[in-house]
Amino acid sequence: MSDTTTSQRPLACAGDMGNMFSTSLLNMLLSVLTLSIYRFWGKTNVRRQLWGAVRAWGDPLEYTGTGKELFIGFLIVLFAIYLPLVGGFAWAQVMLVSGNPLGALLLSGLYLLTVMLVSVGLYRARRYQMSRTVWRGIRGGQTGSGWSYALRTLVVWIAVPLSLGWAWPWGEMWLANYRFNNTTFGDRHFKCDATASGLYGRFTLVWFSGLIFVVAAGILAVGAASLVEQGEMDETTAAVAFALVLVPLAVLTMALPSAWYRAGFYRNLAAGTEFEGSRFSVDIRAWGLIGLVAGNMLISLFSLGVLRPMASLRTFRYGCSVIGVEGEPDFAKVLRAEDTGPSTGEGLVAVLDGAGEF
Amino acid sequence: MTLSEPQRPGRFSDGRSAASRKVVVRVLPSGLEIRGEDGFLIAVWKTDDLLADGEWPEKRGIRLRCASEPDARLAVEDAFVIRETLPKPPLRRKSRHTGLVLACLLGAAVLVGLMVGLAPVSKLLAHLVPAGLERQWGQSIATGLEGQMKPCEGRDGLRVLDALAQRLAEPLPADRRGVRVHVLKSKDVNALALPGGEIILFSGLISKAEGPDELAGVLAHELTHIGERHVSAAMIRALGVGLFATMITGDASGLVASGLGAALAGAYTREDESAADMGALDLLEAAGIGSDGLALFFRRLATMEERQGQMLAWLGTHPDSASRAAAVEARRLPAPRLPALSDADWQAVKKVCSKKSP
């Protein structure tokens, strides 16, 4: 019956959309009134609701971060990193304009540094969120270093164009492995040995359908241009017709295959991840994923981002409904870790990225 | 044991491990006594230390924490009596609201300060930019434009234009007088003042101008932009707005910054244009040239706007031509003047873009 090999669904998400809706509106109102300084507290508020809605084995997750931590992290990065960086870019521009060859060198160096800093920031933001996630009084965490992660990201970004995209499944999985192997709960590490080997079938479809899309779009564009030139269509009709053909084509050749690939990616990743001997699984299907992503996009788009917390709640609900765990890990062995995590939060991402997920 | 000491089943996590064990909770007058199912005493939580930690929906129960054991978690079934004994949550809402109100007021004050102070401060800073740097900047833009569009090289015409610009520039500060006029081939009825002292005239403007006084009026207008360093001020304004927007929204993609900049740019540019029109009148008077030409030119632009039903390029960010003409006419200079250029010179200017010119 319930032996250790059966996969259960220990997570449940009971978040209330109505509450999230009013929280979203309140956050927007107060953000406008406070010149958006309130957003750190607003974000914290949303996270408390999201985390608190999730129950694992009957007990809720807790988010213990505070708005003040996010705000201080933001200020530190603003003055210690962002403003010097802007100054550096301005200086490089002046050098370029005055014909100094060092300007181009400085500029490309700064671009590289910025890209690296974004990766570092994303990794450190995850560390902050993990360390502020508590379940049954035990804290999560993340080890590893942001710079090491950023270097790996750089390797992937160099390898992907060099391999005409074929390095992507490997690179994506390699980075995910690093993140999950460094994820902790209490004094125990998650273990992740997921590989991209089973993903290349799906990726081949994505790659070739992408190629088909590019070629088809090119042919369509040339055809429309020649029709306009011959005077058989005026410019607006041609543009509308072009878009009308292109959008379904994009859905058919891009969205469907990549959703299929993405679902496979998450399945592989979950199947390769374990905690205290219990393996994870996700029951994700391409259509469910498309529904989730498309719905979230529409919500964010039509509310100009204001209702993004509701999109996040949809994601949480979906995640809880598909994540399975084989058996129950022996939680009695998981002890409190002494590391309390970073004291300030997410500054790098808050400044350099700005578009926080939730 | 009496009825006033009811026992409740519950679940308890001690905060040292992630285990959850079944317990029996007894309500004492002084607090809660938590025992294992084997009767072994686990903890005693004093009433004053109890903190409500949400509901336990499955068992119609309540979750509790204890201030002296912050990591431990207790969930008690059907906890009617315990709800009664819980201390009321402390009233700290009031202080939070004062903080929020203060933040809102501060936000409003900063916005007002920005709106009032932006123009004068950027003007002040623009005058601190070294003239050499401004000049270098303007020259590099001019070189770029000449590379993209075809420059007109009628030598006589350019010499006449330079001389006219020098004559008009007499009243400007010494470091602003080194003006150079460039003529570019374009149908646009447009002229640009670049920082430092480069003036760009599009050939469309020269062919639309019906007399030297009209051209002199346009040159005087652009010279005022140069004399009052409008371009540098606009640049500083945009930088300031952008930096500020980025700082408060945390959006480093520049989307918010450029949007806000564009929204503000229109208002400030119109102000600058009106100032330049008035400044042009002073320059014309000092050079002994009548203002009727400028007024005529605006009148002609106004009828062209009506006829074409669209804004001309030179008006994109400018006040509408009819009201500009009216403003110039209102300050009509009394005495009749000689034409700005001799007939021969005017013909040379008109021919500046014809290939035959020597």
Side-chain angles (χ1 to χ4, degrees), chain A residues 97 142 213 228 292 299 306:
Chain A
V97 167
Q142 181 179 270
F213 175 77
V228 169
L292 176 74
I299 289 174
V306 169

Side-chain angles (χ1 to χ4, degrees), chain A residues 7-341:
Chain A
S7 185
Q8 301 160 340
R9 299 278 164 83
L11 301 180
C13 182
D16 182 51
M17 279 290 173
N19 278 346
M20 204 49 109
F21 181 70
S22 42
T23 305
S24 303
L25 291 189
L26 183 73
N27 280 357
M28 185 204 56
L29 188 72
L30 290 177
S31 293
V32 169
L33 284 176
T34 60
L35 294 181
S36 84
I37 295 293
Y38 180 77
R39 71 180 182 281
F40 304 102
W41 285 266
K43 198 187 253 186
T44 301
N45 203 350
V46 168
R47 284 185 191 168
R48 278 211 188 108
Q49 284 189 40
L50 286 174
W51 265 240
V54 175
R55 284 162 210 285
W57 286 278
D59 288 318
L61 296 186
E62 296 162 29
Y63 180 75
T64 60
T66 64
K68 197 168 132 194
E69 286 167 353
L70 290 182
F71 182 53
I72 292 174
F74 167 76
L75 285 184
I76 290 175
V77 171
L78 182 68
F79 288 107
I81 294 179
Y82 183 71
L83 290 181
L85 214 55
V86 168
F89 272 111
W91 189 36
Q93 286 291 354
V94 169
M95 277 167 86
L96 261 188
V97 167
S98 60
N100 191 333
L102 281 179
L105 198 71
L106 182 63
L107 202 62
S108 37
L110 284 174
Y111 270 122
L112 185 69
L113 183 67
T114 310
V115 165
M116 296 280 283
L117 280 173
V118 170
S119 297
V120 173
L122 283 170
Y123 196 75
R124 291 177 64 99
R126 191 172 179 275
R127 174 161 162 246
Y128 172 77
Q129 287 178 21
M130 287 295 158
S131 72
R132 297 302 186 267
T133 301
V134 173
W135 182 69
R136 289 185 179 169
I138 304 294
R139 208 181 286 279
Q142 181 179 270
T143 55
S145 103
W147 284 104
S148 168
Y149 185 74
L151 271 177
R152 279 156 205 256
T153 313
L154 197 64
V155 168
V156 172
W157 283 345
I158 291 170
V160 167
L162 283 184
S163 64
L164 297 177
W166 289 97
W168 176 243
W170 161 82
E172 201 183 9
M173 198 55 98
W174 188 48
L175 291 176
N177 260 298
Y178 188 81
R179 290 196 300 269
F180 279 86
N181 273 318
N182 280 305
T183 303
T184 61
F185 174 61
D187 60 347
R188 302 299 163 111
H189 270 86
F190 282 71
K191 289 193 189 73
C192 182
D193 55 7
T195 62
S197 56
L199 279 176
Y200 271 90
R202 292 180 185 225
F203 187 74
T204 306
L205 181 74
V206 172
W207 199 89
F208 279 106
S209 57
L211 193 67
I212 289 170
F213 175 77
V214 170
V215 171
I219 291 171
L220 274 174
V222 171
S226 71
L227 276 180
V228 169
E229 226 163 82
Q230 287 162 19
E232 291 183 23
M233 256 177 168
D234 68 276
E235 233 167 271
T236 4
T237 340
V240 170
F242 183 65
L244 278 181
V245 179
L246 209 62
V247 168
L249 189 71
V251 170
L252 208 65
T253 58
M254 310 272 282
L256 287 179
S258 32
W260 191 50
Y261 165 77
R262 204 105 286 274
F265 174 81
Y266 287 129
R267 277 164 185 259
N268 255 22
L269 179 60
T273 305
E274 64 167 289
F275 183 74
E276 288 299 288
S278 293
R279 261 188 198 276
F280 287 82
S281 64
V282 287
D283 186 18
I284 287 189
R285 305 197 181 270
W287 283 113
L289 210 55
I290 287 177
L292 176 74
V293 173
N296 284 355
M297 265 170 62
L298 290 178
I299 289 174
S300 300
L301 206 65
F302 284 108
S303 68
L304 297 175
V306 169
L307 297 183
R308 213 159 46 190
M310 290 175 80
S312 301
L313 181 55
R314 287 186 78 229
T315 308
F316 268 59
R317 280 183 174 177
Y318 183 74
C320 288
S321 71
V322 297
I323 293 174
V325 183
E326 276 175 3
E328 188 174 334
D330 187 359
F331 287 119
K333 280 193 200 155
V334 179
L335 303 180
R336 172 170 60 197
E338 290 316 313
D339 177 26
T340 53

Side-chain angles (χ1 to χ4, degrees), chain B residues 113-125 233 237 268 271:
Chain B
L114 190 72
M115 278 157 95
V116 172
L118 190 61
V121 169
S122 62
K123 229 169 243 175
L124 207 71
L125 286 176
R237 228 155 40 206
Y268 286 114
E271 210 169 273

Side-chain angles (χ1 to χ4, degrees), chain B residues 71-84:
Chain B
D71 291 334
R73 301 286 183 270
L74 175 67
V76 192
E77 263 180 46
D78 199 10
F80 178 73
V81 181
I82 296 172
R83 274 180 218 279
E84 304 275 288

Side-chain angles (χ1 to χ4, degrees), chain B residues 275-308:
Chain B
D277 285 348
M278 293 303 117
L281 295 182
D282 296 337
L283 292 187
L284 287 172
E285 171 154 43
I289 301 172
S291 67
D292 289 355
L294 189 58
L296 257 175
F297 185 71
F298 285 142
R299 281 287 170 217
R300 189 135 12 85
L301 278 179
T303 51
M304 275 163 66
E305 274 165 48
E306 267 172 35
R307 205 172 47 229
Q308 300 194 351

